[in-house]
Amino acid sequence: MERIVVIGAGTMGLRICRHFIRASHPVALVDPSAEALEKAQEFFSGTHHGPSLHSSLQDLPQHWRDAGIIIEAVPENLDLKRRIIADLELYFDESTTIASNTSGLRTAELTAGMIYPDRFVITHFFNPADLIPAVEVVPSDATSTETVERITRILETSGKKVARLAADIPGFIANRLQHAMLRECFHLIDSGVADAETIDIVTQYSLGVRLALIGPLLQRDLNGLDIHLNIARYLYPDLDAHQEPATCLVKKVDNGDLGRKTGRGFYEWDDAQREKIERIEHLLPTLVNMASLSQDGENETNEENSPCQNG
């Protein structure tokens, strides 16, 4: 099994490590923060196997220099990521694939100044990375075919669903879709149409249920593209198209209401709310299995009575 080194012991780094350990890969985790490494030790304390923990690249044993993949999972700061990528290039063998877990920075931005940009690729995991199957793989024009094939093979054999992009664009696929939907959600709030809880009810119990089992484009095929076109012709002009963030979002941030991390956002984050999210996380594996069954055709559905077909 390919040896994997993860740089950064934050939430994403820990979860990425857990995923590859469960897939039987030897994993090393590097973070200069003693506090972060202590938290990592606690995170893996109840498991049979954890990553080897190191405070620096120089602390890694010699045999890790030819590891198969290095995944950078540090905070979303371009200068920081570039510095780390430069260090990784100098330390690891030329054959080692270097990947970044950025959620929106472009590959071309991250490879500026690299000696061997052909071995670099973005691998965008989704939080929690050990539970959400999809990983967006984003090569640049300089990324070699061998690099893409290698990272794809390792991800797929570890149990991930690889979504390979054909263009290096900001936000990739998931964040563009998410922000497009949220722009309309915020617009509905600012326009007085509904509050956050009402919008979440509609999204969770209609769109969310269907999207867990079937993608939006396949769902459109089921519903009929002619029907969608007719709706689009009258609805598109009324959808929000602002190029600046919504007023309700800006006000929340300006007031310090940042969500769970501050105890208040669109919701009050009391103990009951936190316990609800923990219960949802426990249900994620079940939802993932249902989605996989649907995609693989093992969960047959009568199209005429399909709950995914209407609306």
Side-chain angles (χ1 to χ4, degrees):
M1 298 295 286
E2 296 266 22
R3 281 169 297 174
I4 295 171
V5 178
V6 176
I7 311 297
T11 300
M12 292 302 296
L14 294 177
R15 295 282 190 159
I16 291 170
C17 285
R18 177 187 277 176
H19 167 72
F20 283 111
I21 289 169
R22 286 175 174 171
S24 300
H25 285 273
V27 178
L29 177 61
V30 180
D31 196 298
S33 167
E35 182 181 356
L37 292 180
E38 184 177 342
K39 288 182 179 178
Q41 197 165 17
E42 293 175 3
F43 183 78
F44 290 103
S45 62
T47 60
H48 293 297
H49 300 286
S52 61
L53 303 177
H54 306 276
S55 60
S56 67
L57 294 178
Q58 290 69 32
D59 186 39
L60 280 171
Q62 182 69 25
H63 68 271
W64 283 98
R65 284 182 178 265
D66 63 351
I69 298 177
I70 315 301
I71 301 175
E72 167 272 302
V74 304
E76 200 77 347
N77 179 290
L78 179 58
D79 290 337
L80 174 62
K81 287 180 179 289
R82 279 179 174 169
R83 290 198 302 272
I84 289 174
I85 290 167
D87 289 341
L88 296 177
E89 266 211 299
L90 293 175
Y91 187 83
F92 290 98
D93 189 82
E94 293 178 15
S95 64
T96 299
T97 296
I98 298 176
S100 173
N101 183 51
T102 178
S103 59
L105 295 172
R106 296 180 61 192
T107 314
E109 294 176 309
L110 294 166
T111 55
M114 281 190 72
I115 302 170
Y116 303 106
D118 57 304
R119 62 168 167 161
F120 181 87
V121 66
I122 284 173
T123 50
H124 178 211
F125 292 78
F126 297 89
N127 189 32
D130 55 327
L131 297 178
I132 304 298
V135 178
E136 292 177 312
V137 170
V138 190
S140 70
D141 292 339
T143 306
S144 70
T145 301
E146 291 77 16
T147 295
V148 176
E149 290 177 350
R150 182 184 199 184
I151 198 76
T152 298
R153 182 183 70 253
I154 291 172
L155 287 169
E156 288 182 341
T157 56
S158 74
K160 290 297 186 183
K161 298 282 188 182
V162 174
R164 177 181 169 183
L165 275 65
D168 182 17
I169 60 172
F172 318 138
I173 296 173
N175 272 325
R176 294 177 78 94
L177 295 178
Q178 182 171 242
H179 279 264
M181 181 181 73
L182 283 168
R183 178 166 63 179
E184 187 62 30
C185 291
F186 295 144
H187 172 67
L188 293 172
I189 292 173
D190 281 338
S191 301
V193 174
D195 59 15
E197 185 174 4
T198 302
I199 293 170
D200 278 353
I201 288 172
V202 173
T203 306
Q204 182 178 351
Y205 293 102
S206 63
L207 302 180
V209 173
R210 296 192 302 197
L211 288 174
L213 300 173
I214 190 170
L217 298 178
L218 182 53
Q219 196 274 330
R220 292 296 87 185
D221 269 6
L222 281 173
N223 199 47
L225 297 182
D226 54 334
I227 295 172
H228 183 84
L229 176 60
N230 288 336
I231 295 173
R233 281 180 169 145
Y234 73 74
L235 185 59
Y236 276 24
D238 199 55
L239 294 176
D240 184 46
H242 280 88
Q243 300 300 299
E244 298 295 329
T247 301
C248 64
L249 175 61
V250 173
K251 285 183 176 179
K252 290 286 185 185
V253 173
D254 287 347
N255 290 336
D257 297 333
L258 308 182
R260 181 173 59 177
K261 65 176 71 175
T262 60
R264 177 183 296 172
F266 286 104
Y267 290 85
E268 295 290 333
W269 281 85
D270 53 17
D271 290 342
Q273 189 69 258
R274 294 175 190 275
E275 289 172 4
K276 175 183 175 182
I277 297 302
E278 289 177 3
R279 290 196 302 271
I280 290 171
E281 185 168 306
H282 288 308
L283 291 173
L284 274 176
T286 302
L287 291 174
V288 168
N289 289 335
M290 290 174 61
S292 297
L293 287 173
S294 176
Q295 183 178 21
D296 294 339
E298 296 176 18
N299 187 18
E300 295 183 0
T301 303
N302 183 335
E303 284 192 11
E304 293 182 0
N305 298 313
S306 171
C308 297
Q309 187 172 359
N310 301 317

